[in-house]
Amino acid sequence: MAAADAIEAPPALKARFNKLGLTRKSDLVLHLPLRYEDETQLTTIAAAGNAGPVQLEVRVREVSVQFRPRRQLLAWVADGSGEIALRFLNFYGSQTRQFERARDEQQRLRVFGEIRPGFLGDEMVHPRYRLVREGEPLPASLTPVYPTTAGVSQAVLRKHIAAALAGADLSELLDEAWRRERGFPPFDKAVRLLHAPPPGVPESALQSRQHPAWRRIKFDELLAQQLSLRRAYLSRRQRGAPRIAPAGVLSRRLLASLPFALTAAQRRVAAEIAADLAQPYPMQRLLQGDVGSGKTIVAALAACQAIEAGYQAAFMAPTEILAEQHYLKLRAWLEPLGVEVAWLAGSQKKAAKRAARQQVANSAQLAVGTHALIQERVDFARLGLAIVDEQHRFGVAQRLELRRKGGNAAEPPHQLMMSATPIPRTLAMSYYADLDVSVLDELPPGRSPVRTRLFSEARRGELIERIRGAVDAGRQVYWVCPLIEESEKLQLQTALDTHATLSEELAGLRVGLVHGRLKSGEKAATMAAFAAGGIDVLVATTVIEVGVDVPNASLMVIEHAERFGLAQLHQLRGRVGRGPEASACVLLYQLPLSLLARERLKIIFEQSDGFEIARQDLRLRGPGEFVGSRQSGLPLLRYADLETDAELIAPAREMAERLLREAPARAARHLARWLGSREELLKA
Ligand code: ADP
Ligand code: MG
């Protein structure tokens, strides 16, 4: 940090500023008001009513400290139109003396707050107030209210921000002509206006953050985000990676052996990946496709490229059930073509694990597994491509680890990340701007849409009959146990109880159970039995949430659906509707429903498109949950809102590319202004 930019304040205050993320004057400049209070107008007590905050100018009649029901300071004040009480439950002795002094003829008190009916008549509790001389003019502009923390008053913030505005670098970093064309005010004008709106600026445009000054700031914030992500993207391109461009014999043989033809979307995406693999820098591609869109075969084709070119591919999945399913599928596809496939999972016996590690270090061409793949003692001979399924389930650290497995630090492997939790477009364009994105926007033909039904618990009996009906017709059923997030033990108990109850209610049917605590062999055996039709009804916890693929299962019941998140419900529902049979998903809910739960159930009932569901989810929850640990160093956006400011993202992206190309020094200054020292974290 340039010394001139350091905040000047006593150490204790500096520490509190730090808590607010304020270390430099430029941070103070960008510490913008949460809202404004209008102290430019006075109301009389008689006219004030009880609606919203008002400002009164009053004289103090009487002051007293009372002790019942608890210690409090009371001041009776009047303005000629009426009288109210001011009540302070926390106060200093100095305040009492101040009010005493205010009883002087020439003194007036300006109080700002809401009038409420109280025990002693109308009152204001803890109003903001200021002592003024009679006739002192009102402030001409709105009063900013800043986000703050204990021990930092609004007055202190205002003082330091005003000083920062006078001393910090507020120079314009955008191209002048472009800025005008867009209708953005200059940077210094925008921040000054937001900190101290001049008279006449409509309060509503400030509060709604649609004023051009706010839009300028939001644009700048998005620009900083784009700049830092684009820079990370470009610096990755400086690194080398194996060029993988074989003739494509192996993938053609795989395609020829499949019972289906690729969809147009699959062909397009496979080509995008193949083009990336042929580049001398590492691919960082996110493959998005709704549940059932057929991502696995696309990944297998990418693996074929690497293998044919003499490299290894790794395929990592977040749960053992899913990893094993991939292993079985990939082996069935690739072994007949002469590819050696290894399996590595945490639950393997020591000897098996050792053998698998040996294989990975030597002959294996494809390694499939859980995060066991990235454990320390696994050394790939020549990893060329790392595939991560359901990438959002992994932390950043784990994905970095896989990248490091390249063996040759100068040539990290290409990375293909896959996700069925669709990332809304605005989010993909902002937080994920350092990745290339491919989208499978087409489902394979012959799928029947899943009908979604909402049943209250009261109709459980009816549901049991439906299940019998489905099994009689030769179909299979998932029953998803209620989610108990607080306790794994309780979750397990619930699964056992549900299994016991359903086994009774469905006497005569084969009811199986799978949950996270089963030994992996047992889990695999149960899943295999279900896939082979040996189990009619599979009671399961969310271990089946991702990836599981049993086309003959056509009915899913989700118990206590109101407890699940939208993404989870969509994933679970995606386990049915994988075959030609008409499928249904019954969401069993228990009343009373919270507002949020009601809204989620409505969305999942009405929508089947994963992208639309994700968009709604983003609206309900904000980006924090989506982004999660993905960008540990990247601060969430403070001012821009991906929903309401979506149209600023594309221009920010264009401007970022242009600045990096044409004016890298200005780009660096913009980043420093917005991210300061945090930017260092992002280069990691
Ligand atoms: P997801 O994208 O959810 O991972 P999968 O890769 O598991 O989807 O594919 C879902 C099912 O669709 C699998 O049974 C798969 O074999 C099948 N499938 C994939 N592509 C096609 C296609 N082009 N035509 C028909 N079936 C396909
Ligand atoms: Mg999948």
Side-chain angles (χ1 to χ4, degrees), residues 260-263 266 289-297 325-326 329 333 389-390 418 420 440 444-445 447 547 549 551 575 578:
F260 54 78
L262 295 187
T263 63
Q266 284 170 320
D290 212 342
V291 283
S293 59
K295 293 184 289 296
T296 320
I297 183 64
Q325 201 176 267
H326 281 320
K329 183 171 257 174
W333 280 341
D389 197 16
E390 307 294 346
M418 306 200 285
L440 283 179
R447 297 277 166 80
D549 186 31
R575 301 306 116 218
R578 298 187 154 240

Side-chain angles (χ1 to χ4, degrees), residues 117-184:
F119 186 62
L120 303 163
D122 283 345
E123 62 176 23
M124 275 188 185
V125 180
H126 287 187
R128 264 190 306 125
Y129 66 90
R130 200 158 72 89
L131 223 57
V132 295
R133 303 296 294 179
E134 186 184 5
E136 182 167 319
L138 287 164
S141 60
L142 296 172
T143 310
V145 180
Y146 293 103
T148 189
T149 183
V152 182
S153 70
Q154 291 294 327
V156 164
L157 271 171
R158 272 175 218 149
K159 189 181 106 195
H160 279 87
I161 288 170
L165 282 171
D169 170 18
L170 304 182
S171 53
E172 183 57 55
L173 299 174
L174 294 184
D175 185 72
E176 198 55 30
W178 187 88
R179 178 186 70 68
R180 277 172 210 273
E181 200 181 299
R182 286 261 153 195
F184 289 134

